[in-house]
Amino acid sequence: MSSDTTSAPEYLRKILLAPVYDVARNTDLNFMPSLSERIGHDIWLKREDQQPVKSFKLRGAYNKIANLSEQAKNRGVITASAGNHAQGVALSANRMQVKATICMPETTPDIKVDAVRSFGGDWVDIVLIGKSFDVASQHAQQLAQEQGYTYVPPFDDPDVIAGQGTIAKELFDEKRDLDIVFIAVGGGGLAAGIAVYLKQLKPNIKIVAVESDESACLQKALTHGEPTPLDKVGIFADGVAVKIIGKEPFRLCQQYVDEVITVTSDELCAATKDIFDDTRAIAEPAGALSVAGIKKWLANNPEASQNKLQIAGILCGANINFHTLRYVSERAELGEKKEAIIAATIPEEKGAFRKFCEILGGRAITEFNYRYAPSSSAHIYVGLKLRRGEDELQEVLAELKQNNIDWFDLSDNEVAKQHVRYMVGGRAPELTNERLFSFDFPEYPGALLSFLQTLGERWNITLFHYRNHSAASGMVLTGFDVKDSDMAEFTSHITKIGYQFRDESENPAYQFFLK
């Protein structure tokens, strides 16, 4: 049945008849006691991390393949994915003994390739091709046409959407008094499937879609009235790193989703900690979107506190690389507004740091970076523990101002948090023409060499900082010695490298500590 003729009642029928429990499980709905007590509402978490592939994607993939004709199954299926969808297709194909080809970028971490191979067994062929998902996807579509395979989309398909909608059936069966449900959005299949089911059974339930502010494709589609590609997508929440929402998910979300909210990476880290504290589950960044959305929505809607609400979020996945936890741990307190980072200028004299700490009034300092400079003043990078969030930070800043200490709040400054905190004190006074740029750097063998070879030897590199967080892409901060008269030529040259970049020369963190 084509998507443009799939009515809401037909979706209801497809969800009720979906045979996903041949392979998927009816996951737990856990109460979150600590978070509920803190924010004054009952918060429930649907644990899709309990699926065999640690993600909800198994439901949609299995339902799509199960609904194929025997002839289509005999010809085989194909998909492109570097993550949860690939694992869902692999396990589904193995269980139904359908031959599957899965195209993945060459940059896919070995842990994900090995997981797909393990779930698929002899029924899955893995094709590693290209440096990006787009190349792998194009190859999969080409093979589908040439070999007669059925393409299994990750989200833009009625059977896939109906498979994800089985989560809504379980939610409604277990807890019918829910007031609001928060759902992560990448391509939109999960939100569409849940919303089209719940809104038919309980029209007054509120559905809130939650997106990463680095990949808000539903919000952009709503603004333009149709699916519209994003200019760029951040990859921290890689499970929802989608440039354009699917047409069918958008049609359903436009009709059945009440509100869309975006959250930052720091807020995702804080939500990951909340989930761990209450359930001991370790969510991937995309998996924590719903909880981050719950907290932000309630903070933005204080009137909701008049009545205790029954709220559910979907923990949609837990396929997180262990080393990414280092980043999550570092940023969780910032996302919770329990830590602030400030740059301050103090006199370069004995006792200045002690006096600075006295002004802070005994508040805990979480980080302090400083290096002697031969001048009358010193710039310091300070992390500060906060008990009362933003209100307490404003008190601190006011106290610093009263004591004639200049300050700058770096709590939302990505360059400061990603790079400068590890580099404070490295000044080179003779570099009067230094320009600073940040690059989104692909994680694959030879990427650094390719970068340097493309850059050539025309401009001297004056600064380089990179830290691996085991993601598909990393962040690099680079300084160059470039005269004003050469800037046009330089900008044209680095554009040819093909990596996303930003001029950070006026970034206050750089101005304070490195320029």
Side-chain angles (χ1 to χ4, degrees):
M1 180 174 291
S2 63
S3 63
D4 59 354
T5 59
T6 307
S7 65
E10 177 63 12
Y11 268 113
L12 196 63
R13 187 189 70 83
K14 290 169 76 70
I15 290 169
L16 291 172
L17 295 178
V20 300
Y21 301 105
D22 294 348
V23 63
R25 61 164 292 187
N26 186 329
T27 54
D28 295 342
L29 183 64
N30 290 162
F31 181 64
M32 299 184 69
S34 297
L35 182 60
S36 298
E37 182 178 2
R38 195 166 84 233
I39 63 181
H41 299 278
D42 287 345
I43 310 301
W44 301 82
L45 192 65
K46 183 64 171 167
R47 295 284 306 279
E48 284 301 288
D49 60 300
Q50 295 176 340
Q51 295 297 352
V53 298
K54 309 301 181 187
S55 160
F56 75 96
K57 287 286 189 177
L58 176 61
R59 297 173 184 263
Y62 191 88
N63 195 48
K64 173 65 177 178
I65 298 173
N67 277 284
L68 295 178
S69 67
E70 289 304 315
Q71 293 87 344
K73 290 178 182 177
N74 290 335
R75 288 194 299 268
V77 300
I78 191 169
T79 195
S81 171
N84 296 339
H85 179 61
Q87 296 178 48
V89 171
L91 182 56
S92 299
N94 191 348
R95 186 62 60 90
M96 283 184 278
Q97 299 190 347
V98 172
K99 196 67 178 176
T101 301
I102 298 178
C103 299
M104 309 177 79
E106 295 170 357
T107 56
T108 305
D110 289 343
I111 189 173
K112 292 187 177 181
V113 176
D114 292 342
V116 172
R117 186 174 290 115
S118 174
F119 286 125
D122 295 336
W123 292 94
V124 169
D125 290 328
I126 298 173
V127 177
L128 298 177
I129 184 168
K131 297 290 193 295
S132 69
F133 170 76
D134 290 340
V135 174
S137 179
Q138 290 169 7
H139 185 70
Q141 299 279 5
Q142 181 181 344
L143 286 178
Q145 291 182 352
E146 294 174 354
Q147 304 296 329
Y149 301 145
T150 298
Y151 188 79
V152 181
F155 44 80
D156 200 0
D157 179 271
D159 286 326
V160 172
I161 292 169
Q164 323 302 24
T166 57
I167 295 172
K169 177 183 179 298
E170 295 168 18
L171 268 177
F172 192 74
D173 288 347
E174 185 161 353
K175 189 164 179 60
R176 299 193 175 188
D177 63 342
L178 286 173
D179 297 300
I180 316 177
V181 177
F182 287 76
I183 313 165
V185 171
L190 178 65
I194 292 176
V196 72
Y197 185 92
L198 290 180
K199 280 291 189 177
Q200 290 183 83
L201 272 63
K202 190 176 181 180
N204 64 334
I205 196 170
K206 187 177 183 69
I207 305 293
V208 180
V210 189
E211 297 186 287
S212 164
D213 63 0
E214 296 182 338
S215 55
C217 59
L218 173 55
Q219 195 170 73
K220 184 161 187 176
L222 291 170
T223 300
H224 289 80
E226 62 181 357
T228 305
L230 298 168
D231 296 329
K232 62 178 182 178
V233 172
I235 51 80
F236 175 61
D238 60 339
V240 292
V242 175
K243 271 196 171 184
I244 184 169
I245 194 168
K247 292 181 180 179
E248 179 66 357
F250 175 66
R251 180 181 76 85
L252 295 170
C253 288
Q254 194 175 32
Q255 185 172 354
Y256 296 109
V257 169
D258 297 291
E259 191 174 340
V260 182
I261 190 170
T262 62
V263 297
T264 66
S265 294
D266 285 353
E267 288 166 337
L268 286 177
C269 292
T272 301
K273 181 178 181 298
D274 289 322
I275 291 170
F276 177 79
D277 287 346
D278 266 332
T279 69
R280 293 300 184 264
I282 302 176
E284 63 182 271
L289 271 166
S290 63
V291 172
I294 290 170
K295 293 164 62 182
K296 191 164 190 174
W297 187 88
L298 289 171
N300 293 341
N301 294 272
E303 71 279 1
S305 297
Q306 295 176 4
N307 299 297
K308 177 175 281 192
L309 299 173
Q310 300 296 316
I311 302 173
I314 314 298
L315 196 177
C316 56
N319 284 306
I320 185 170
N321 190 305
F322 181 79
H323 298 291
T324 305
L325 295 175
R326 175 178 60 187
Y327 178 93
V328 172
S329 177
E330 285 178 355
R331 304 292 280 267
E333 295 290 279
L334 286 164
E336 194 63 54
K337 304 299 183 185
K338 291 181 178 178
E339 183 184 15
I341 294 174
I342 59 175
T345 303
I346 62 175
E348 184 64 87
E349 61 185 31
K350 292 181 180 179
F353 178 48
R354 177 181 56 79
K355 182 179 179 182
F356 176 81
C357 292
E358 290 173 350
I359 294 170
L360 297 181
R363 295 181 177 91
I365 291 177
T366 60
E367 186 170 1
F368 182 82
N369 293 322
Y370 157 75
R371 187 184 179 197
Y372 173 79
S375 63
S376 60
S377 61
H379 295 309
I380 57 176
Y381 181 108
V382 181
L384 190 65
K385 188 85 169 179
L386 302 173
R387 292 183 295 272
R388 293 181 286 106
E390 183 67 24
D391 291 342
E392 186 174 2
L393 174 60
Q394 294 306 315
E395 292 174 9
V396 170
L397 299 179
E399 291 168 13
L400 295 178
K401 185 176 181 180
Q402 288 174 4
N403 285 272
N404 298 315
I405 294 178
D406 293 332
W407 56 266
F408 197 94
D409 184 5
L410 299 175
S411 302
D412 295 322
N413 189 307
E414 282 300 310
V415 169
K417 293 183 288 188
Q418 286 266 29
H419 303 288
V420 174
R421 72 194 310 169
Y422 307 108
M423 307 170 70
V424 169
R427 290 178 181 274
E430 67 276 11
L431 290 175
T432 57
N433 295 315
E434 185 174 56
R435 307 278 183 163
L436 196 71
F437 289 82
S438 60
F439 290 84
D440 293 335
F441 209 74
E443 294 277 19
Y444 62 85
L448 176 58
L449 179 60
S450 174
F451 174 86
L452 295 173
Q453 287 174 338
T454 307
L455 185 64
E457 299 178 357
R458 173 73 172 80
W459 289 278
N460 183 40
I461 294 177
T462 61
L463 175 153
F464 197 92
H465 180 261
Y466 158 72
R467 194 174 186 211
N468 186 305
H469 288 295
S470 300
S473 175
M475 293 291 295
V476 170
L477 189 69
T478 312
F480 301 92
D481 190 6
V482 186
K483 295 179 181 179
D484 290 344
S485 57
D486 293 334
M487 271 304 294
E489 181 185 356
F490 174 78
T491 303
S492 174
H493 192 71
I494 62 174
T495 300
K496 294 177 184 177
I497 297 176
Y499 304 149
Q500 292 181 5
F501 68 89
R502 291 162 295 281
D503 188 338
E504 305 285 3
S505 303
E506 301 302 318
N507 190 296
Y510 169 66
Q511 296 285 333
F512 263 94
F513 299 111
L514 301 174
K515 185 172 172 60

